[in-house]
Amino acid sequence: MADAVEEPQLHNGKASSESETDQHPTSEPLSDDNPKLTDSIPEMKPEEGQSEVTDREIQSEVNDAKAEEVKPVAKPELRHVDLSPEEKQIGSTEGDQGTSKAVMKKEDEGNRTFTMRELLSELKSDEGDGTPRSTVSPYSRESASQAAENNPAMDLINRIQVNDEEGRSRQRVLAFAARKYASAIERNPDDHDALYNWALILQESADNVSADSVSPSKDDLLEEACNKYDEATRLCPTLYDAYYNWAIAISDRAKMRGRTKEAEELWEQATNNYEKAVQLNWNSSQALNNWGLALQELSQIVPAREKEKVVRTAISKFRAAIRLQFDFHRAIYNLGTVLYGLAEDTLRTGGSGNGKDIPPGELYSQSAIYIAAAHSLKPSYSVYSSALRLVRSMLPLPHLKVGYLTAPPVGNSLAPHSDWKRTEFELNHERLLQVLKPEAREMGRNLSGKSEAMNTNVEKKTVKVNITEIVSVTTCADLTLPPGAGLCIDTVHGPVYLVADSWESLDGWLDAIRLVYTIYARGKSDVLAGIVTA
């Protein structure tokens, strides 16, 4: 029958796993208890429990904007959150393994890589006795200090003033590391690893500077970090880490400038660097998610005629991130927020008028599906819970999704196209079920007893897919299917083929079924059941 197009698949009982830190490249788990809320926005935006950078890792940037009133529905005011310290920055090859860590290469150890936490710990030990412990280091503290003289970047670091003792201790370690990299670059200006590591030190130092500091300012340090990333990538164009962290630094600079022309230019630079990072590491769900967030920020600034295109590109990045990692709840939540914002815009402007626009009500319903899924995967996140309370009424309760699909007669996927029927389907936490309208059922209902027997018989002939029996869910393309967007649900009993009305409609069905299965595989079906049946 139809050949399934290759896509990431859900395997029964083996959905792709996510670590307890939710693929945050930090050595420390995210704080689920204290999510940081920012301003409310129509497009709820990102992720939970996330503040500023500490152990430089992956960052999902988010934005703020004020929600507007919605006429046809009770308008929820959605909030979004920033990423935690652990989400800020990433490292090199470990980024593909779900536990990627920001890494710094240490000249003293050849090609060995260190997490930022490990490096700071080692440097702190070096500082404790006044001399580096590593006996193989060719650089003394004295030579490093000489190399740092008259260096603008070192001047910025040396002028940093930190109020608390912990911050001062941390900054001393960072300054010590900066001197070492200044010395390394003095000896070898083409050392891209040293340039990259120095950029990380500058970016980390920016977190030690208060928002109102002017000498140096956060922006001064981030700008100098960007310069180092630029130099490093010119020397090594395949340095994925540098492009990723460079995009983070640019995004931080853009957020300081509000919705100005300068901010627009910076967000465009950030999206370009995320694009390069994804080109170098195509299976980084975090990079795709952050790319979507940068586009979401950019959409708030660009001219109105360009906004929809930018928003739809952001949607595609979030969706790509989810399809790489089915339980990536942050990307799931972000997709819900951007769809919510698109619903608001469509409601306000009436859409593009091309006849292909999805109605605002359907967009709100789609938004609610993703938010409900994010909450089901992480019910402890207060931001998800708050958002769900606001959008739950937009779901087609007691179901998660209701819509139309074209299906063959039960048990005969090779039936002629004329025998395939477009009928309504309902999806909840337990199953996908075809709904036959009374007029579509066989006649002979004049006797109540006979009618009941016939109804029972008809129910058995409807397409029904239990979530617990799913093996994989993919798109498919085959001439034996009727025209349209093909969907293959492989089950323990064999494949079930359906056809969506459009490719955009297919995206919604694919995501919804996969998310329900992922929630089941994570043992959270009871949470989803509480949402749709309460």
PDB file of all heavy atoms in Angstrom, residues 20-22 24 30-33 35 47-50 81 87 329-330 374-375 378-387:
ATOM      1  N   GLU A  20      16.034  14.303  32.651  1.00  0.00           N
ATOM      2  CA  GLU A  20      15.337  15.021  33.707  1.00  0.00           C
ATOM      3  C   GLU A  20      15.535  16.513  33.588  1.00  0.00           C
ATOM      4  O   GLU A  20      14.736  17.290  34.051  1.00  0.00           O
ATOM      5  CB  GLU A  20      15.852  14.542  35.063  1.00  0.00           C
ATOM      6  CG  GLU A  20      15.319  13.189  35.472  1.00  0.00           C
ATOM      7  CD  GLU A  20      13.808  13.157  35.519  1.00  0.00           C
ATOM      8  OE1 GLU A  20      13.213  14.048  36.126  1.00  0.00           O
ATOM      9  OE2 GLU A  20      13.211  12.253  34.944  1.00  0.00           O
ATOM     10  N   THR A  21      16.586  16.914  32.978  1.00  0.00           N
ATOM     11  CA  THR A  21      16.822  18.351  32.801  1.00  0.00           C
ATOM     12  C   THR A  21      16.257  18.832  31.489  1.00  0.00           C
ATOM     13  O   THR A  21      16.546  19.919  31.038  1.00  0.00           O
ATOM     14  CB  THR A  21      18.325  18.666  32.847  1.00  0.00           C
ATOM     15  OG1 THR A  21      18.976  17.856  31.876  1.00  0.00           O
ATOM     16  CG2 THR A  21      18.885  18.404  34.218  1.00  0.00           C
ATOM     17  N   ASP A  22      15.457  17.997  30.842  1.00  0.00           N
ATOM     18  CA  ASP A  22      14.766  18.376  29.625  1.00  0.00           C
ATOM     19  C   ASP A  22      15.711  18.862  28.554  1.00  0.00           C
ATOM     20  O   ASP A  22      15.515  19.894  27.939  1.00  0.00           O
ATOM     21  CB  ASP A  22      13.718  19.466  29.906  1.00  0.00           C
ATOM     22  CG  ASP A  22      12.758  19.034  30.962  1.00  0.00           C
ATOM     23  OD1 ASP A  22      12.245  17.920  30.837  1.00  0.00           O
ATOM     24  OD2 ASP A  22      12.548  19.784  31.911  1.00  0.00           O
ATOM     25  N   HIS A  24      18.501  20.158  28.696  1.00  0.00           N
ATOM     26  CA  HIS A  24      19.222  21.390  28.933  1.00  0.00           C
ATOM     27  C   HIS A  24      20.658  21.018  29.129  1.00  0.00           C
ATOM     28  O   HIS A  24      20.983  20.196  29.965  1.00  0.00           O
ATOM     29  CB  HIS A  24      18.724  22.100  30.179  1.00  0.00           C
ATOM     30  CG  HIS A  24      17.256  22.305  30.118  1.00  0.00           C
ATOM     31  ND1 HIS A  24      16.669  23.232  29.336  1.00  0.00           N
ATOM     32  CD2 HIS A  24      16.259  21.633  30.702  1.00  0.00           C
ATOM     33  CE1 HIS A  24      15.379  23.149  29.466  1.00  0.00           C
ATOM     34  NE2 HIS A  24      15.110  22.188  30.273  1.00  0.00           N
ATOM     35  N   LEU A  30      16.957  22.120  35.747  1.00  0.00           N
ATOM     36  CA  LEU A  30      16.199  23.363  35.781  1.00  0.00           C
ATOM     37  C   LEU A  30      15.340  23.411  37.023  1.00  0.00           C
ATOM     38  O   LEU A  30      14.894  22.402  37.522  1.00  0.00           O
ATOM     39  CB  LEU A  30      15.258  23.432  34.569  1.00  0.00           C
ATOM     40  CG  LEU A  30      15.911  23.795  33.242  1.00  0.00           C
ATOM     41  CD1 LEU A  30      14.865  23.760  32.167  1.00  0.00           C
ATOM     42  CD2 LEU A  30      16.540  25.155  33.325  1.00  0.00           C
ATOM     43  N   SER A  31      15.082  24.599  37.456  1.00  0.00           N
ATOM     44  CA  SER A  31      14.173  24.757  38.585  1.00  0.00           C
ATOM     45  C   SER A  31      12.757  24.755  38.070  1.00  0.00           C
ATOM     46  O   SER A  31      12.342  25.658  37.374  1.00  0.00           O
ATOM     47  CB  SER A  31      14.467  26.074  39.305  1.00  0.00           C
ATOM     48  OG  SER A  31      13.460  26.354  40.224  1.00  0.00           O
ATOM     49  N   ASP A  32      12.002  23.721  38.400  1.00  0.00           N
ATOM     50  CA  ASP A  32      10.615  23.650  37.958  1.00  0.00           C
ATOM     51  C   ASP A  32       9.691  24.418  38.883  1.00  0.00           C
ATOM     52  O   ASP A  32       8.530  24.612  38.582  1.00  0.00           O
ATOM     53  CB  ASP A  32      10.139  22.191  37.933  1.00  0.00           C
ATOM     54  CG  ASP A  32      10.860  21.401  36.869  1.00  0.00           C
ATOM     55  OD1 ASP A  32      11.517  22.031  36.033  1.00  0.00           O
ATOM     56  OD2 ASP A  32      10.747  20.167  36.892  1.00  0.00           O
ATOM     57  N   ASP A  33      10.222  24.828  40.010  1.00  0.00           N
ATOM     58  CA  ASP A  33       9.339  25.401  41.017  1.00  0.00           C
ATOM     59  C   ASP A  33       9.192  26.903  40.913  1.00  0.00           C
ATOM     60  O   ASP A  33       8.232  27.477  41.394  1.00  0.00           O
ATOM     61  CB  ASP A  33       9.874  25.068  42.415  1.00  0.00           C
ATOM     62  CG  ASP A  33       9.930  23.572  42.629  1.00  0.00           C
ATOM     63  OD1 ASP A  33       9.015  22.885  42.165  1.00  0.00           O
ATOM     64  OD2 ASP A  33      10.892  23.130  43.272  1.00  0.00           O
ATOM     65  N   PRO A  35       9.275  29.301  38.016  1.00  0.00           N
ATOM     66  CA  PRO A  35       9.366  29.854  36.677  1.00  0.00           C
ATOM     67  C   PRO A  35       9.326  31.365  36.731  1.00  0.00           C
ATOM     68  O   PRO A  35       8.635  31.951  37.550  1.00  0.00           O
ATOM     69  CB  PRO A  35       8.127  29.284  35.972  1.00  0.00           C
ATOM     70  CG  PRO A  35       7.204  28.946  37.070  1.00  0.00           C
ATOM     71  CD  PRO A  35       8.044  28.583  38.249  1.00  0.00           C
ATOM     72  N   GLU A  47       9.189  29.180  27.298  1.00  0.00           N
ATOM     73  CA  GLU A  47       9.581  28.231  28.212  1.00  0.00           C
ATOM     74  C   GLU A  47       9.774  28.624  29.618  1.00  0.00           C
ATOM     75  O   GLU A  47      10.176  29.638  29.991  1.00  0.00           O
ATOM     76  CB  GLU A  47      10.839  27.637  27.751  1.00  0.00           C
ATOM     77  CG  GLU A  47      11.067  28.187  26.495  1.00  0.00           C
ATOM     78  CD  GLU A  47      11.273  27.251  25.432  1.00  0.00           C
ATOM     79  OE1 GLU A  47      10.354  26.838  24.876  1.00  0.00           O
ATOM     80  OE2 GLU A  47      12.361  26.976  25.161  1.00  0.00           O
ATOM     81  N   GLU A  48       9.643  27.624  30.329  1.00  0.00           N
ATOM     82  CA  GLU A  48       9.485  27.734  31.703  1.00  0.00           C
ATOM     83  C   GLU A  48      10.737  27.781  32.518  1.00  0.00           C
ATOM     84  O   GLU A  48      11.764  27.311  32.164  1.00  0.00           O
ATOM     85  CB  GLU A  48       8.806  26.460  32.008  1.00  0.00           C
ATOM     86  CG  GLU A  48       8.050  26.501  33.087  1.00  0.00           C
ATOM     87  CD  GLU A  48       6.759  26.948  33.206  1.00  0.00           C
ATOM     88  OE1 GLU A  48       5.944  26.199  32.954  1.00  0.00           O
ATOM     89  OE2 GLU A  48       6.572  27.982  33.659  1.00  0.00           O
ATOM     90  N   GLY A  49      10.600  28.255  33.699  1.00  0.00           N
ATOM     91  CA  GLY A  49      11.636  28.143  34.659  1.00  0.00           C
ATOM     92  C   GLY A  49      12.943  28.626  34.177  1.00  0.00           C
ATOM     93  O   GLY A  49      13.948  28.011  34.359  1.00  0.00           O
ATOM     94  N   GLN A  50      12.985  29.792  33.488  1.00  0.00           N
ATOM     95  CA  GLN A  50      14.247  30.129  32.884  1.00  0.00           C
ATOM     96  C   GLN A  50      14.621  31.559  33.073  1.00  0.00           C
ATOM     97  O   GLN A  50      13.900  32.451  32.770  1.00  0.00           O
ATOM     98  CB  GLN A  50      14.167  29.805  31.447  1.00  0.00           C
ATOM     99  CG  GLN A  50      13.870  28.445  31.492  1.00  0.00           C
ATOM    100  CD  GLN A  50      13.483  27.746  30.305  1.00  0.00           C
ATOM    101  OE1 GLN A  50      13.596  26.686  30.348  1.00  0.00           O
ATOM    102  NE2 GLN A  50      13.053  28.243  29.291  1.00  0.00           N
ATOM    103  N   VAL A  81       7.546  32.875  29.559  1.00  0.00           N
ATOM    104  CA  VAL A  81       8.631  32.859  30.528  1.00  0.00           C
ATOM    105  C   VAL A  81       9.973  32.758  29.836  1.00  0.00           C
ATOM    106  O   VAL A  81      10.063  32.312  28.714  1.00  0.00           O
ATOM    107  CB  VAL A  81       8.486  31.662  31.479  1.00  0.00           C
ATOM    108  CG1 VAL A  81       7.281  31.831  32.346  1.00  0.00           C
ATOM    109  CG2 VAL A  81       8.413  30.380  30.688  1.00  0.00           C
ATOM    110  N   GLU A  87      19.686  27.041  30.375  1.00  0.00           N
ATOM    111  CA  GLU A  87      19.261  26.944  28.992  1.00  0.00           C
ATOM    112  C   GLU A  87      20.019  27.896  28.098  1.00  0.00           C
ATOM    113  O   GLU A  87      19.697  28.033  26.945  1.00  0.00           O
ATOM    114  CB  GLU A  87      17.785  27.301  28.897  1.00  0.00           C
ATOM    115  CG  GLU A  87      16.912  26.260  29.485  1.00  0.00           C
ATOM    116  CD  GLU A  87      16.386  25.339  28.437  1.00  0.00           C
ATOM    117  OE1 GLU A  87      16.875  25.338  27.315  1.00  0.00           O
ATOM    118  OE2 GLU A  87      15.479  24.616  28.761  1.00  0.00           O
ATOM    119  N   HIS A 329       8.722  19.861  25.593  1.00  0.00           N
ATOM    120  CA  HIS A 329       7.543  20.614  26.031  1.00  0.00           C
ATOM    121  C   HIS A 329       7.693  22.120  25.823  1.00  0.00           C
ATOM    122  O   HIS A 329       6.710  22.831  25.625  1.00  0.00           O
ATOM    123  CB  HIS A 329       7.220  20.301  27.490  1.00  0.00           C
ATOM    124  CG  HIS A 329       8.330  20.579  28.450  1.00  0.00           C
ATOM    125  ND1 HIS A 329       8.492  21.782  29.078  1.00  0.00           N
ATOM    126  CD2 HIS A 329       9.335  19.783  28.886  1.00  0.00           C
ATOM    127  CE1 HIS A 329       9.558  21.718  29.863  1.00  0.00           C
ATOM    128  NE2 HIS A 329      10.090  20.516  29.775  1.00  0.00           N
ATOM    129  N   ARG A 330       8.906  22.630  25.859  1.00  0.00           N
ATOM    130  CA  ARG A 330       9.090  24.063  25.652  1.00  0.00           C
ATOM    131  C   ARG A 330       8.715  24.462  24.219  1.00  0.00           C
ATOM    132  O   ARG A 330       8.022  25.441  23.993  1.00  0.00           O
ATOM    133  CB  ARG A 330      10.527  24.449  25.977  1.00  0.00           C
ATOM    134  CG  ARG A 330      10.813  24.376  27.463  1.00  0.00           C
ATOM    135  CD  ARG A 330      12.271  24.656  27.785  1.00  0.00           C
ATOM    136  NE  ARG A 330      12.454  24.801  29.215  1.00  0.00           N
ATOM    137  CZ  ARG A 330      12.507  23.797  30.065  1.00  0.00           C
ATOM    138  NH1 ARG A 330      12.409  22.564  29.621  1.00  0.00           N
ATOM    139  NH2 ARG A 330      12.660  24.007  31.351  1.00  0.00           N
ATOM    140  N   ALA A 374       1.721  20.512  26.465  1.00  0.00           N
ATOM    141  CA  ALA A 374       2.868  20.954  27.264  1.00  0.00           C
ATOM    142  C   ALA A 374       2.578  20.779  28.750  1.00  0.00           C
ATOM    143  O   ALA A 374       3.421  20.312  29.519  1.00  0.00           O
ATOM    144  CB  ALA A 374       3.200  22.405  26.942  1.00  0.00           C
ATOM    145  N   HIS A 375       1.358  21.151  29.163  1.00  0.00           N
ATOM    146  CA  HIS A 375       0.980  20.994  30.571  1.00  0.00           C
ATOM    147  C   HIS A 375       0.963  19.522  30.962  1.00  0.00           C
ATOM    148  O   HIS A 375       1.382  19.158  32.069  1.00  0.00           O
ATOM    149  CB  HIS A 375      -0.388  21.612  30.814  1.00  0.00           C
ATOM    150  CG  HIS A 375      -0.935  21.303  32.179  1.00  0.00           C
ATOM    151  ND1 HIS A 375      -0.517  21.943  33.318  1.00  0.00           N
ATOM    152  CD2 HIS A 375      -1.867  20.389  32.576  1.00  0.00           C
ATOM    153  CE1 HIS A 375      -1.153  21.455  34.362  1.00  0.00           C
ATOM    154  NE2 HIS A 375      -1.984  20.514  33.944  1.00  0.00           N
ATOM    155  N   LYS A 378       4.505  18.458  31.520  1.00  0.00           N
ATOM    156  CA  LYS A 378       5.128  19.108  32.671  1.00  0.00           C
ATOM    157  C   LYS A 378       4.064  19.792  33.527  1.00  0.00           C
ATOM    158  O   LYS A 378       3.962  21.021  33.560  1.00  0.00           O
ATOM    159  CB  LYS A 378       6.159  20.142  32.200  1.00  0.00           C
ATOM    160  CG  LYS A 378       7.479  19.538  31.785  1.00  0.00           C
ATOM    161  CD  LYS A 378       8.222  18.991  32.994  1.00  0.00           C
ATOM    162  CE  LYS A 378       9.520  18.318  32.575  1.00  0.00           C
ATOM    163  NZ  LYS A 378      10.232  17.736  33.728  1.00  0.00           N
ATOM    164  N   PRO A 379       3.222  19.019  34.208  1.00  0.00           N
ATOM    165  CA  PRO A 379       2.128  19.611  34.992  1.00  0.00           C
ATOM    166  C   PRO A 379       2.606  20.481  36.150  1.00  0.00           C
ATOM    167  O   PRO A 379       1.837  21.273  36.672  1.00  0.00           O
ATOM    168  CB  PRO A 379       1.345  18.390  35.499  1.00  0.00           C
ATOM    169  CG  PRO A 379       2.308  17.256  35.424  1.00  0.00           C
ATOM    170  CD  PRO A 379       3.205  17.545  34.261  1.00  0.00           C
ATOM    171  N   SER A 380       3.876  20.347  36.529  1.00  0.00           N
ATOM    172  CA  SER A 380       4.387  21.140  37.652  1.00  0.00           C
ATOM    173  C   SER A 380       4.747  22.562  37.250  1.00  0.00           C
ATOM    174  O   SER A 380       4.973  23.406  38.110  1.00  0.00           O
ATOM    175  CB  SER A 380       5.628  20.462  38.243  1.00  0.00           C
ATOM    176  OG  SER A 380       6.667  20.372  37.283  1.00  0.00           O
ATOM    177  N   TYR A 381       4.791  22.874  35.952  1.00  0.00           N
ATOM    178  CA  TYR A 381       5.160  24.208  35.495  1.00  0.00           C
ATOM    179  C   TYR A 381       3.958  25.144  35.638  1.00  0.00           C
ATOM    180  O   TYR A 381       2.956  24.980  34.949  1.00  0.00           O
ATOM    181  CB  TYR A 381       5.626  24.167  34.047  1.00  0.00           C
ATOM    182  CG  TYR A 381       7.086  23.802  33.883  1.00  0.00           C
ATOM    183  CD1 TYR A 381       7.772  23.089  34.859  1.00  0.00           C
ATOM    184  CD2 TYR A 381       7.789  24.171  32.738  1.00  0.00           C
ATOM    185  CE1 TYR A 381       9.098  22.750  34.707  1.00  0.00           C
ATOM    186  CE2 TYR A 381       9.125  23.838  32.583  1.00  0.00           C
ATOM    187  CZ  TYR A 381       9.775  23.128  33.563  1.00  0.00           C
ATOM    188  OH  TYR A 381      11.093  22.799  33.414  1.00  0.00           O
ATOM    189  N   SER A 382       4.084  26.112  36.498  1.00  0.00           N
ATOM    190  CA  SER A 382       2.952  26.995  36.787  1.00  0.00           C
ATOM    191  C   SER A 382       2.532  27.824  35.578  1.00  0.00           C
ATOM    192  O   SER A 382       1.349  28.138  35.415  1.00  0.00           O
ATOM    193  CB  SER A 382       3.299  27.919  37.956  1.00  0.00           C
ATOM    194  OG  SER A 382       4.391  28.745  37.645  1.00  0.00           O
ATOM    195  N   VAL A 383       3.465  28.192  34.730  1.00  0.00           N
ATOM    196  CA  VAL A 383       3.117  28.983  33.542  1.00  0.00           C
ATOM    197  C   VAL A 383       2.227  28.177  32.617  1.00  0.00           C
ATOM    198  O   VAL A 383       1.234  28.690  32.087  1.00  0.00           O
ATOM    199  CB  VAL A 383       4.391  29.451  32.814  1.00  0.00           C
ATOM    200  CG1 VAL A 383       4.044  30.101  31.477  1.00  0.00           C
ATOM    201  CG2 VAL A 383       5.145  30.455  33.669  1.00  0.00           C
ATOM    202  N   TYR A 384       2.555  26.897  32.426  1.00  0.00           N
ATOM    203  CA  TYR A 384       1.716  26.050  31.585  1.00  0.00           C
ATOM    204  C   TYR A 384       0.320  25.908  32.195  1.00  0.00           C
ATOM    205  O   TYR A 384      -0.690  25.946  31.493  1.00  0.00           O
ATOM    206  CB  TYR A 384       2.336  24.663  31.427  1.00  0.00           C
ATOM    207  CG  TYR A 384       3.684  24.621  30.738  1.00  0.00           C
ATOM    208  CD1 TYR A 384       4.392  23.426  30.666  1.00  0.00           C
ATOM    209  CD2 TYR A 384       4.261  25.756  30.173  1.00  0.00           C
ATOM    210  CE1 TYR A 384       5.630  23.350  30.041  1.00  0.00           C
ATOM    211  CE2 TYR A 384       5.503  25.696  29.552  1.00  0.00           C
ATOM    212  CZ  TYR A 384       6.181  24.495  29.489  1.00  0.00           C
ATOM    213  OH  TYR A 384       7.411  24.425  28.877  1.00  0.00           O
ATOM    214  N   SER A 385       0.281  25.737  33.505  1.00  0.00           N
ATOM    215  CA  SER A 385      -1.009  25.565  34.186  1.00  0.00           C
ATOM    216  C   SER A 385      -1.868  26.811  34.037  1.00  0.00           C
ATOM    217  O   SER A 385      -3.070  26.723  33.758  1.00  0.00           O
ATOM    218  CB  SER A 385      -0.782  25.269  35.672  1.00  0.00           C
ATOM    219  OG  SER A 385       0.017  24.121  35.849  1.00  0.00           O
ATOM    220  N   SER A 386      -1.253  27.975  34.212  1.00  0.00           N
ATOM    221  CA  SER A 386      -1.995  29.233  34.092  1.00  0.00           C
ATOM    222  C   SER A 386      -2.519  29.424  32.675  1.00  0.00           C
ATOM    223  O   SER A 386      -3.671  29.821  32.467  1.00  0.00           O
ATOM    224  CB  SER A 386      -1.096  30.403  34.488  1.00  0.00           C
ATOM    225  OG  SER A 386      -0.673  30.297  35.828  1.00  0.00           O
ATOM    226  N   ALA A 387      -1.665  29.142  31.702  1.00  0.00           N
ATOM    227  CA  ALA A 387      -2.084  29.292  30.307  1.00  0.00           C
ATOM    228  C   ALA A 387      -3.216  28.333  29.973  1.00  0.00           C
ATOM    229  O   ALA A 387      -4.170  28.697  29.277  1.00  0.00           O
ATOM    230  CB  ALA A 387      -0.894  29.047  29.385  1.00  0.00           C
TER     231      ALA A 387
END
